[in-house]
Amino acid sequence: MAYLIFVDESGYDSRESPYAVLAGVAIEDQDLWNVVTDLQSAELDHFGTRYSQGARELKAKKILKRKVYRQAAKLPPIPKDQRRTLAKRCLEMGDSAGLQEITALAQAKLAYVREVLEICSRFRCKAFASIVNKSSPAPDPTVLRKDYSYLFERIFYFLEDVGLAALGIMVFDELEKSQSHILLDQMDRYFKLTSKGRARSSRIIPEPFFVHSDLTTGVQIADLVAYIISWGFRLENMTEPARQEMIDLVNQVCQLRHRAVRGVGDNPNFVIWRFAVIDDLRGVEDQD
């Protein structure tokens, strides 16, 4: 049994986003094609065409930005069949689209994202995230960032809970080539030279695949999850304001979390959720 873990990030290169988020979405190998085809059907159902064909991308920062919510609220909710026709017309008309078409397309975008998360829930996909304060100190370039090691830890616990035969295959959004080589070197040292890394390599295949996000459905899901967490998910120690209009999507993403219980210190039933907040990207050895 294998799970493909699709990984993407949000907010690391943006001044506006409140938190940087490294997110992963686990999809069991036998479910992957069904997830992909259901998401493609959802595109047709909401937009009347494949929105992601050609140069358009279903990137979260484009389809969930504040402007989309404002446009969606211009008119009362449009019945789905009519909305699909108007949304398709808006995509075809471009800048000459009118109020009805623009509003329908905005409402279709939000409805599509809700269905994406419903499909993920239906196929028992699991979400993981490292949430980083943007002022967090960075580690030495040779050391794997703590947001990655925390993500691997939570993926490892999930795979342990699934069963003895469960393995994780990492699939990353492609970075600039030199950055990809740096990450590969950091992961190689982590999984070979640290005790935790060696233990986790029993479940996580240490060499990832790098793919183009606009061509890979799983990475697009991870992009949505990362963006929703950055802008809407909050824990007690997260002080940046959240976008309240996203609360329904946040609740859907939270349903994808996995809850692990492990013995930690004197507590044999310590609960470890799949979303971790990180104040320092350096490991203990790097801080020293």
Side-chain angles (χ1 to χ4, degrees):
M1 178 190 304
Y3 283 81
L4 287 97
I5 319 292
F6 297 94
V7 179
D8 201 3
E9 59 186 36
S10 180
Y12 284 84
D13 57 355
S14 170
R15 295 180 181 179
E16 294 182 359
S17 57
Y19 292 95
V21 178
L22 182 70
V25 174
I27 306 176
E28 192 174 354
D29 53 359
Q30 66 179 5
D31 292 328
L32 180 59
W33 181 237
N34 290 328
V35 171
V36 170
T37 55
D38 279 10
L39 292 181
Q40 291 176 350
S41 296
E43 276 189 75
L44 294 173
D45 194 33
H46 290 287
F47 302 113
T49 184
R50 289 290 306 280
Y51 181 97
S52 57
Q53 66 186 4
R56 287 192 300 264
E57 287 187 66
L58 284 164
K59 295 287 287 184
K61 66 181 180 182
K62 294 182 178 180
I63 64 174
L64 290 177
K65 59 186 177 182
R66 287 188 174 96
K67 182 179 178 180
V68 171
Y69 278 90
R70 290 197 300 269
Q71 290 171 334
K74 292 285 186 181
L75 296 172
I78 301 170
K80 185 176 181 180
D81 289 346
Q82 182 186 0
R83 186 184 70 204
R84 178 172 57 243
T85 300
L86 290 168
K88 183 174 184 290
R89 190 184 305 164
C90 186
L91 293 172
E92 293 168 346
M93 295 175 69
D95 293 339
S96 61
L99 175 63
Q100 268 201 319
E101 288 83 8
I102 292 171
T103 303
L105 180 58
Q107 291 182 6
K109 289 176 180 177
L110 301 181
Y112 169 75
V113 174
R114 287 191 287 270
E115 185 163 352
V116 168
L117 298 175
E118 288 170 8
I119 291 167
C120 288
S121 181
R122 187 163 72 243
F123 284 99
R124 305 169 304 281
C125 303
K126 295 299 178 184
F128 313 85
S130 293
I131 306 164
V132 182
N133 283 315
K134 298 183 76 172
S135 60
S136 298
D140 182 280
T142 63
V143 178
L144 186 70
R145 287 188 340 224
K146 190 187 282 189
D147 53 345
Y148 279 98
S149 61
Y150 269 49
L151 194 75
F152 294 148
E153 175 188 63
R154 281 148 175 75
I155 292 168
F156 175 75
Y157 288 154
F158 162 69
L159 294 169
E160 274 194 326
D161 288 346
V162 169
L164 290 173
L167 289 174
I169 302 167
M170 306 301 300
V171 184
F172 290 163
D173 182 17
E174 187 175 52
L175 305 170
E176 192 274 327
K177 193 168 185 180
S178 61
Q179 290 180 297
S180 298
H181 279 296
I182 290 170
L183 179 58
L184 283 171
D185 290 342
Q186 292 169 343
M187 288 180 61
D188 186 71
R189 282 190 291 272
Y190 170 78
F191 281 109
K192 288 179 179 176
L193 302 180
T194 70
S195 58
K196 288 181 178 179
R198 286 193 295 271
R200 291 166 190 166
S201 68
S202 64
R203 297 288 183 151
I204 300 170
I205 297 174
E207 185 167 287
F209 294 96
F210 288 93
V211 298
H212 291 291
S213 61
D214 58 328
L215 302 177
T216 309
T217 303
V219 174
Q220 293 172 9
I221 300 172
D223 168 66
L224 288 172
V225 169
Y227 184 92
I228 292 166
I229 291 172
S230 175
W231 285 99
F233 176 79
R234 295 295 179 268
L235 294 172
E236 211 172 279
N237 57 342
M238 297 174 68
T239 57
E240 295 293 332
R243 287 172 51 188
Q244 293 305 312
E245 72 269 23
M246 297 181 69
I247 190 64
D248 61 329
L249 301 180
V250 172
N251 290 336
Q252 285 186 276
V253 166
C254 286
Q255 294 302 311
L256 302 178
R257 290 187 298 173
H258 178 74
R259 177 181 180 272
V261 177
R262 294 292 186 276
V264 177
D266 296 329
N267 185 352
N269 297 305
F270 187 79
V271 175
I272 303 171
W273 286 101
R274 290 301 176 250
F275 298 170
V277 181
I278 300 170
D279 292 320
D280 194 331
L281 286 170
R282 301 171 298 174
V284 173
E285 72 286 354
D286 206 26
Q287 294 176 35
D288 293 342

